[in-house]
Amino acid sequence: LVLTRKLDEEVVIGDKDDEIIIRILKIHGGKVSIGIQANKKWQIVRRELLNNEPMDSENRHAEAEEVREMELV
């Protein structure tokens, strides 16, 4: 499945009682910031963290920024 979304548009996964909402928060250059709203039972992790890949300084900065943005959603 490939979807095209614009700023502030959403994608909903699941049904009304157990949905995951993905929203486009920011588009800047070649990067897209997304917000994810889901029940706490769902673990949401970037793939490189699941694979225990080492993080470079850019990824560490992005991870901290993602946490701050998610707190705002």
Side-chain angles (χ1 to χ4, degrees):
L1 176 63
V2 177
L3 301 171
T4 302
R5 301 280 70 204
K6 295 178 182 174
L7 190 62
D8 292 324
E9 291 185 336
E10 297 177 339
V11 173
V12 178
I13 301 169
D15 58 35
K16 187 174 181 131
D17 296 325
D18 193 20
E19 64 186 13
I20 298 171
I21 300 171
I22 301 170
R23 176 182 284 235
I24 306 303
L25 299 176
K26 180 171 57 172
I27 303 170
H28 183 71
K31 296 185 179 186
V32 177
S33 294
I34 62 170
I36 303 171
Q37 181 181 345
N39 187 305
K40 290 189 183 267
K41 75 177 185 176
W42 297 109
Q43 178 185 18
I44 301 171
V45 181
R46 295 184 349 216
R47 181 168 303 279
E48 62 269 22
L49 298 178
L50 283 177
N51 296 335
N52 294 320
E53 295 175 13
M55 267 198 267
D56 59 23
S57 62
E58 183 178 340
N59 278 343
R60 277 193 282 284
H61 174 73
E63 181 179 37
E65 186 174 313
E66 287 173 11
V67 170
R68 285 192 302 276
E69 288 180 1
M70 290 304 298
E71 291 170 353
L72 298 174
V73 174

